[in-house]
Amino acid sequence: MIKLENVSKTYQTDKVETLALRDINLHVKKGEFVSIMGPSGCGKSTLLNLIGLLDRPGKGKIAVDGNELKVWRDKELASLRNRTFGFIFQSFHLINDLRVIDNVELPLLYRSCSAKERRRLAEEALAKVGLSARMDHYPNQLSGGQQQRVAIARAMVGRPSVLLADEPTGNLDSQMGAEVMDILLKLSHEGTTVVMVTHDERQAKQGGRIVRVFDGQLVA
Ligand code: ADP
Ligand code: ADP
């Protein structure tokens, strides 16, 4: 599904160069649940952003579904990204002025999809995360765990094959975190590939495969 070969990434800011990732080789198979772990600043988010085609590597090759992306233009990259990946973050990134249902419909606005179809898909995605009763609420009327479930519905509404999660339970207490984790595991069992950055060893074990990063390198 996703293949990184000898991937390195350097950030350049003014006169400072940071080698964030060094010579990464990683193969994520379809349907796998992979947890990325490691200390702060080791390169976890950078790795997730490269996998999700949010950023390009400095060196090395990235292939998604057998398509190598190096030669691609921004537009092609964006199109592949939107079809393949759903993203969720530690801070939920919901739009507070929009109702829950409208937040979930957002990714579909960029597709040729009728208003009726958008609504149907968004309702279906909200049902999946157990929030049908909350669709007309605004995000700040919901608990943190519920907001993250809305974010999952938004990430999944376009039916991506891969869900990328950057510390999805980092802002949640343990009970709400467990609820979010249950949904991610359920999506994984239904065939979605999940790649998650986490500091929670127990959650990582629940997922299955753990990839450890230290100082920009994969160590296990
Ligand atoms: P983690 O997610 O493990 O905390 P990151 O991938 O965010 O680590 O960062 C890895 C390294 O790259 C760190 O040294 C960080 O300071 C640096 N870095 C991350 N993003 C940028 C950026 N946009 N510009 C410059 N340096 C960055
Ligand atoms: P954290 O996981 O520390 O809360 P964020 O969730 O804000 O950090 O963002 C993690 C990374 O994803 C950052 O590099 C950020 O630039 C990027 N990012 C955040 N939101 C989006 C988005 N909606 N679309 C694309 N990239 C995003």
Side-chain angles (χ1 to χ4, degrees):
M1 180 78 224
I2 302 159
K3 212 169 198 171
L4 278 70
E5 260 178 59
N6 305 110
V7 165
S8 296
K9 173 74 191 177
T10 305
Y11 289 110
Q12 185 84 49
T13 36
D14 295 328
K15 281 166 194 148
V16 188
E17 229 181 45
T18 310
L19 183 56
L21 288 176
R22 193 167 4 155
D23 217 20
I24 302 287
N25 288 288
L26 179 66
H27 186 183
V28 177
K29 296 196 191 76
K30 198 166 166 42
E32 263 193 311
F33 193 125
V34 179
S35 295
I36 301 173
M37 302 196 76
S40 183
C42 70
K44 302 182 295 298
S45 294
T46 302
L47 181 56
L48 206 66
N49 289 348
L50 287 175
I51 291 173
L53 312 182
L54 288 168
D55 204 356
R56 289 169 190 261
K59 277 188 209 145
K61 293 182 188 171
I62 298 182
V64 175
D65 257 342
N67 304 304
E68 198 186 317
L69 73 89
K70 228 177 169 180
V71 292
W72 297 22
R73 288 184 308 213
D74 285 351
K75 216 174 139 188
E76 297 169 308
L77 213 59
S79 160
L80 181 67
R81 178 170 62 227
N82 294 335
R83 276 183 284 122
T84 311
F85 298 101
F87 295 90
I88 59 171
F89 302 94
Q90 181 174 356
S91 42
F92 322 117
H93 293 298
L94 298 174
I95 296 177
N96 283 320
D97 303 337
L98 291 181
R99 291 176 308 161
V100 161
I101 185 85
D102 299 319
N103 267 280
V104 176
E105 283 186 29
L106 273 180
L108 301 175
L109 292 177
Y110 304 99
R111 301 193 179 191
S112 47
C113 191
S114 70
K116 205 173 151 195
E117 180 70 355
R118 279 202 303 272
R119 176 80 187 206
R120 191 184 68 76
L121 290 170
E123 284 181 3
E124 207 178 286
L126 280 170
K128 262 210 149 123
V129 298
L131 286 176
S132 297
R134 302 296 190 139
M135 38 183 201
D136 293 322
H137 286 70
Y138 287 86
N140 56 21
Q141 297 174 313
L142 304 181
S143 73
Q146 290 171 329
Q147 289 187 50
Q148 190 62 295
R149 282 152 59 196
V150 174
I152 294 171
R154 183 183 57 185
M156 295 303 297
V157 73
R159 306 206 169 128
S161 44
V162 185
L163 181 63
L164 300 179
D166 197 345
E167 290 189 53
T169 64
N171 278 344
L172 304 177
D173 69 27
S174 58
Q175 198 211 320
M176 291 194 286
E179 283 171 23
V180 164
M181 193 58 201
D182 282 346
I183 290 172
L184 298 183
L185 290 167
K186 186 177 89 176
L187 292 171
S188 166
H189 289 140
E190 290 170 3
T192 303
T193 307
V194 180
V195 183
M196 169 177 82
V197 169
T198 184
H199 288 292
D200 188 318
E201 193 80 36
R202 208 171 55 91
Q203 285 179 359
K205 283 194 179 121
Q206 284 183 300
R209 181 174 172 201
I210 304 180
V211 165
R212 291 185 199 275
V213 185
F214 189 79
D215 213 5
Q217 289 182 290
L218 293 197
V219 291

